[in-house]
Amino acid sequence: MGHISTESLLPPNNKGARKMTSRIQNVFIFSIAFCATGSAIAAVPEKHPHKVTPQKTAPLRDASHQAAENVVVIAGMATANGVTNTTPGGGLMPPQTDARAQSGITRDYIAKQAPTSNVQSLIAALPGVVAARSDPLGITGDSLSIRGFNERETGYLFEGIPVADPLAYSPYTNIIVDSENMGGVTLTQGAADISAPLYNAIGAQIAIRAIDPARHFGGYVEASGGTRGANKDFIRLNTGEIGHTGVSGFASFSYTRDDSWHGPGGLRRYHTDAELVKSWGTGSNAKIWFSYNNSMWNPFRVPTMAQWQTYGRGLNLSSTYTPGNTLYYKLNYSATNALILGAPINFHLAKGLDLHLTPYFTDFFGPSRSGQNISNDNSNYGTTSAGPLNLPYATNGIVTTQAVDPWIQLTGGLSTWLGWKYKTNTFKIGYWYAYTNHTERQSFTPVDYEGNSANNAGRYAIVMQNGRVLSGYDDTIRQQTNSIFISDNLKLLNDKLNLSAGLKTTMVSRWATDLVTGATPYRSARNYFAPMPQFSASYQIDKKNQIYIDGTTAFRAPAGSFVQIFSPSSKVPITQPGTLKAQYSIGEEIGYRHTGLWNVSLALFNYNMTHRQVTSSAYIPGTTNLVSSSLDAGGQTSRGVQVEVGLRPWHHFSPYLSGQYLHATIDNNYQVGSDYLPTKGKTAVLSPKFTGTIGLQYDDGFLFGNVNIHYVDSQYSTFMNDQAIHSYVTSDMTLGMRFRNVGFAKHPQIQLNLINIGDNNYLSGISGFGGAAKATKGIYGTTIAASTPTYVIGGGFAALVSIGAGF
């Protein structure tokens, strides 16, 4: 690329040129100001946004939900990526009216974050959210907690489609949708919507929506590059209205890669999104969504506290191979592929009568791979001997292998409701059905003396003399879900008083079979049922002030292992099928909202729950294969208060503040075998007392940027509160400039994202939990052995430069 002079980017008129030249000179002042305090930022000379020629665009549903390639002109601002600079708090505080604690983000915020970000890292600034980033750019999935509940206790919806693993509840947030196609996210910190197709949302609901296609042909292109070889290339093509059908759509493709920020290996990701939209009549519309993702990455190791204190970030996979080294990075990687199809449809049948349908299909599949040493002569298949395996590349009778887990999970479902509005009353009745089929058979392939696995060529699983494939688990799991709800909403006092009540019942049936010899039971079946009443009331004091209360219930069918898991090194199973009871929660909230120049949201909350399920991960001994299981922590009480404050853009500035105080305690002693650890009254795991974010955004149409500082208090990893991760502070920054049209490029811009600016060296989250970190005497006198919690290493510093434009 040749040299581009500053003059080539200036408006053609002299007055505009003088203004833009002045702004370019102020970029350096602006950058320094963002690194300082808010008052220092305020010292930057105010400039009026450069004038633009308004262009016709399609009508927008709302400012945060338009197609990014539309040239948006609001208050003199023109952008190609959907930014309007109208949301309070710089896109972190869209107005909310539902009678419950609720927060959100819009394009005003999403478009200014690193384009590699996933939804968990994007909502990190919202009250109660702790995003435990293991990857600073958000390319891989992160751990998350909201009000002390982790990501597997949170419901994830994309365009009304449940997109988490329906059995283990792992969210696939890094593979659902590209951030460039993300229109907004709504976070409900309490229980889920009564109509939501979810049965695990004890802690929160995260609803993601896509942008709308533009009405005119065009598109958007963006290229990014940064530290450790990171880059992302993105292009979206917009069909515009197809003929005179009223149908419009878009299709996009992206390629992402990076090198691991610590240790060898990296990530490769290919992703495509496509959407068609049609509206007709009054209130009738239909959408078809398609996305496909193919990604592969080398996982980060999760250290114990002793390993963290000894090695810090140096605890990594190995970059070189020697026989017996199962940590060689080429043996350890995860491949996650996903196909998502959905068709949300709304029919306006008659006056006051509406029907909503969302049929969907998801296909998630692996494989995941890890290193494992097995014996040539003394390996086992379940509870029996595997016999002589006669494998090549043995050293002292031991063969290094690559364990392959080619899991496949297919789910089809239909979520529907019928609504009838008569005068001030709205009645709804709904039904959700889903069916999941999950198959998973582990296999092993030998590794030669150079560390090459035959499976890399797609062949050669180790077969025993009886002709069966050597495996630690060979299971099929089927699940059927039926859910029914009814609700009624009544508006009184000139619509100022809003009363809602409803009842939801959910039935989950599971069947699992395990073909490994000696697996007990060979076949298992479990059924879960829960009634979940809800109530809420809100009162609109005036146009700017609202108060509300709500009472909700929620349940979570147990997750974790549904069959026994074996290892060739032992005839004793490593894990047992889960026998937990469903988790049930009762919650109450009372809140207040104020909207205007200053926007304030305040909520007090209380939860009481039984059979609190804590998801914990641990390595299969001698391997790098992480297996999750659920721990029954018993009863728990959680109380707290959350607050948000955001300013509408004022002289181009939009400050934001959020915070939460949480007091979560264990209500009973924790059972270990036939004894109990004295945990009653202890602080619940994963429950930081204080969390908060301070943010500030500046956007005058040409120059823009933001800074966010996050604080997370210490968090316990054991029920006995004898091990914890320290509190930490991280800060992120964005700086950017937009320009006038350059040839066919509409409003090109350049953006710099800086993540974890101080390169804070910290543990960001907890992977594996335990009863106590040291041997402890139970209440009946038994010495209960210590457990070994594991942790997530927080992502280090990263920088990413992005250049994008519409066309």
Side-chain angles (χ1 to χ4, degrees):
M1 179 181 292
H3 175 72
I4 300 177
S5 66
T6 304
E7 287 76 9
S8 66
L9 302 177
L10 297 179
N13 60 81
N14 293 333
K15 183 179 178 180
R18 288 194 300 269
K19 286 185 177 182
M20 191 166 290
T21 302
S22 175
R23 287 196 178 90
I24 292 174
Q25 292 171 348
N26 284 331
V27 169
F28 301 103
I29 300 173
F30 178 78
S31 303
I32 296 172
F34 258 110
C35 294
T37 63
S39 59
I41 298 176
V44 178
E46 180 187 341
K47 299 290 180 181
H48 297 289
H50 60 289
K51 297 184 181 297
V52 297
T53 301
Q55 301 185 34
K56 293 182 179 180
T57 63
L60 303 178
R61 284 193 301 180
D62 57 65
S64 64
H65 202 94
Q66 69 250 350
E69 59 269 24
N70 278 353
V71 178
V72 181
V73 183
I74 296 180
M77 177 176 293
T79 69
N81 61 0
V83 172
T84 65
N85 200 31
T86 58
T87 311
L92 285 166
M93 202 173 176
Q96 307 290 343
T97 57
D98 288 352
R100 57 188 178 185
Q102 198 163 268
S103 305
I105 59 175
T106 69
R107 287 297 303 170
D108 284 354
Y109 181 78
I110 296 169
K112 294 175 184 176
Q113 306 310 300
T116 55
S117 300
N118 63 59
V119 68
Q120 290 175 309
S121 58
L122 286 171
I123 65 171
L126 301 182
V129 177
V130 178
R133 293 187 300 199
S134 59
D135 164 22
L137 292 175
I139 300 177
T140 58
D142 296 319
S143 299
L144 181 84
S145 69
I146 301 172
R147 291 184 178 178
F149 301 102
N150 71 15
E151 71 276 5
R152 300 194 189 199
E153 297 170 279
T154 300
Y156 289 81
L157 297 174
F158 175 72
E159 291 290 339
I161 304 167
V163 286
D165 183 328
L167 299 174
Y169 310 131
S170 302
Y172 301 113
T173 56
N174 60 319
I175 63 176
I176 298 170
V177 59
D178 274 319
S179 65
E180 293 88 348
N181 296 330
M182 197 181 299
V185 181
T186 299
L187 167 65
T188 303
Q189 284 92 346
D193 293 345
I194 196 168
S195 61
L198 300 167
Y199 50 85
N200 70 308
I202 287 286
Q205 172 186 294
I206 296 173
I208 311 160
R209 65 176 184 272
I211 61 171
D212 287 335
R215 290 289 184 179
H216 305 285
F217 178 80
Y220 182 75
V221 62
E222 186 175 67
S224 306
T227 51
R228 297 188 179 272
N231 77 272
K232 179 178 181 179
D233 302 314
F234 174 87
I235 185 170
R236 176 174 57 242
L237 295 176
N238 219 57
T239 66
E241 185 176 3
I242 302 174
H244 298 287
T245 63
V247 177
S248 59
F250 71 78
S252 70
F253 173 79
S254 70
Y255 168 73
T256 309
R257 71 162 302 276
D258 80 329
D259 298 327
S260 294
W261 73 271
H262 71 101
L267 173 139
R268 303 292 184 275
R269 176 182 182 267
Y270 301 87
H271 187 91
T272 184
D273 294 325
E275 181 182 62
L276 289 173
V277 175
K278 162 74 174 178
S279 297
W280 67 95
T282 303
S284 295
N285 54 76
K287 176 183 293 188
I288 298 176
W289 177 268
F290 166 86
S291 68
Y292 179 76
N293 185 91
N294 172 272
S295 58
M296 185 278 290
W297 69 94
N298 300 96
F300 300 114
R301 294 180 64 186
V302 291
T304 65
M305 185 61 72
Q307 289 173 327
W308 168 251
Q309 293 171 347
T310 302
Y311 303 105
R313 294 175 176 175
L315 187 75
N316 300 311
L317 298 173
S318 300
S319 59
T320 58
Y321 178 77
T322 55
N325 182 12
T326 59
L327 294 175
Y328 183 45
Y329 80 99
K330 290 186 178 180
L331 301 180
N332 297 272
Y333 61 88
S334 295
T336 303
N337 304 277
L339 171 67
I340 301 174
L341 287 169
I345 308 171
N346 294 292
F347 294 101
H348 182 64
L349 303 177
K351 183 179 179 180
L353 190 64
D354 294 277
L355 175 65
H356 171 84
L357 301 168
T358 302
Y360 65 90
F361 172 77
T362 61
D363 180 5
F364 299 127
F365 55 101
S368 299
R369 308 177 192 229
S370 58
Q372 183 166 349
N373 289 326
I374 66 174
S375 172
N376 223 340
D377 299 317
N378 298 308
S379 290
N380 303 283
Y381 179 67
T383 59
T384 62
S385 173
L389 298 176
N390 301 318
L391 300 175
Y393 312 117
T395 302
N396 298 323
I398 301 299
V399 179
T400 301
T401 68
Q402 184 180 59
V404 183
D405 182 10
W407 56 277
I408 301 174
Q409 188 178 89
L410 306 174
T411 301
L414 173 65
S415 174
T416 180
W417 55 259
L418 179 69
W420 177 48
K421 183 177 181 180
Y422 180 72
K423 294 184 179 180
T424 60
N425 199 84
T426 302
F427 175 80
K428 286 185 179 181
I429 182 169
Y431 173 66
W432 170 44
Y433 175 81
Y435 182 84
T436 297
N437 185 81
H438 179 102
T439 57
E440 192 168 7
R441 184 181 72 173
Q442 183 189 46
S443 63
F444 300 89
T445 62
V447 174
D448 66 23
Y449 294 125
E450 284 73 43
N452 300 308
S453 168
N455 192 268
N456 290 339
R459 62 180 185 273
Y460 195 39
I462 295 174
V463 177
M464 300 176 291
Q465 291 184 349
N466 61 8
R468 301 184 69 176
V469 173
L470 180 67
S471 180
Y473 42 89
D474 183 358
D475 58 80
T476 298
I477 304 168
R478 294 181 175 91
Q479 175 176 286
Q480 191 168 228
T481 304
N482 290 271
S483 184
I484 301 172
F485 81 88
I486 56 172
S487 67
D488 192 68
N489 177 266
L490 178 64
K491 293 184 177 182
L492 302 171
L493 304 178
N494 295 322
D495 292 347
K496 287 188 174 183
L497 179 62
N498 196 332
L499 304 174
S500 296
L503 174 66
K504 181 178 183 178
T505 60
T506 300
M507 297 148 281
V508 179
S509 301
R510 289 171 177 162
W511 307 267
T513 57
D514 190 352
L515 298 180
V516 172
T517 301
T520 305
Y522 155 71
R523 184 182 187 276
S524 63
R526 295 190 179 278
N527 298 289
Y528 306 95
F529 170 82
M532 292 168 283
Q534 293 188 11
F535 169 80
S536 66
S538 66
Y539 183 75
Q540 197 71 36
I541 301 170
D542 53 36
K543 291 183 178 180
K544 294 185 176 181
N545 296 282
Q546 180 194 39
I547 57 174
Y548 65 86
I549 61 171
D550 70 87
T552 60
T553 56
F555 106 112
R556 179 181 185 266
S561 177
F562 301 97
V563 298
Q564 288 180 327
I565 294 179
F566 289 86
S567 171
S569 61
S570 175
K571 294 181 180 180
V572 179
I574 296 167
T575 66
Q576 296 288 347
T579 58
L580 301 181
K581 296 182 179 180
Q583 181 177 348
Y584 198 82
S585 171
I586 301 174
E588 303 89 23
E589 295 175 324
I590 181 170
Y592 165 77
R593 294 189 181 103
H594 171 81
T595 58
L597 176 62
W598 281 100
N599 296 265
V600 179
S601 178
L602 176 70
L604 289 82
F605 57 87
N606 175 76
Y607 293 102
N608 296 97
M609 66 199 72
T610 58
H611 300 290
R612 168 72 197 283
Q613 297 170 23
V614 177
T615 303
S616 181
S617 299
Y619 289 114
I620 293 178
T623 77
T624 53
N625 187 1
L626 270 177
V627 176
S628 64
S629 61
S630 293
L631 309 177
D632 190 338
Q636 181 176 315
T637 299
S638 298
R639 297 185 175 116
V641 57
Q642 68 176 54
V643 63
E644 276 186 292
V645 180
L647 182 70
R648 275 204 325 244
W650 181 76
H651 294 278
H652 314 308
F653 287 99
S654 302
Y656 174 80
L657 181 147
S658 72
Q660 176 181 275
Y661 168 79
L662 176 65
H663 180 69
T665 56
I666 302 172
D667 294 340
N668 49 256
N669 296 322
Y670 177 66
Q671 185 173 3
V672 181
S674 59
D675 208 340
Y676 295 81
L677 286 170
T679 57
K680 185 176 182 179
K682 300 287 187 181
T683 298
V685 297
L686 210 66
S687 300
K689 183 170 288 187
F690 295 102
T691 55
T693 295
I694 298 175
L696 183 63
Q697 175 181 263
Y698 178 88
D699 195 333
D700 69 3
F702 166 68
L703 187 66
F704 65 89
N706 60 57
V707 62
N708 289 290
I709 301 173
H710 310 280
Y711 171 78
V712 179
D713 213 341
S714 59
Q715 306 170 64
Y716 288 114
S717 58
T718 64
F719 303 135
M720 282 297 296
N721 295 172
D722 56 357
Q723 195 168 106
I725 61 175
H726 293 296
S727 60
Y728 59 87
V729 176
T730 58
S731 56
D732 306 323
M733 181 187 295
T734 302
L735 298 168
M737 291 183 290
R738 302 187 191 94
F739 306 99
R740 284 184 176 275
N741 296 349
V742 179
F744 65 87
K746 296 180 180 179
H747 302 286
Q749 72 170 48
I750 183 169
Q751 177 173 303
L752 170 65
N753 291 101
L754 303 173
I755 299 98
N756 191 6
I757 295 172
D759 196 23
N760 189 13
N761 189 16
Y762 66 107
L763 293 173
S764 63
I766 305 165
S767 175
F769 299 86
K774 58 184 178 181
T776 304
K777 184 173 291 187
I779 62 174
Y780 296 144
T782 305
T783 299
I784 298 174
S787 55
T788 309
T790 54
Y791 301 92
V792 177
I793 298 175
F797 170 77
L800 198 70
V801 175
S802 305
I803 300 175
F807 60 89

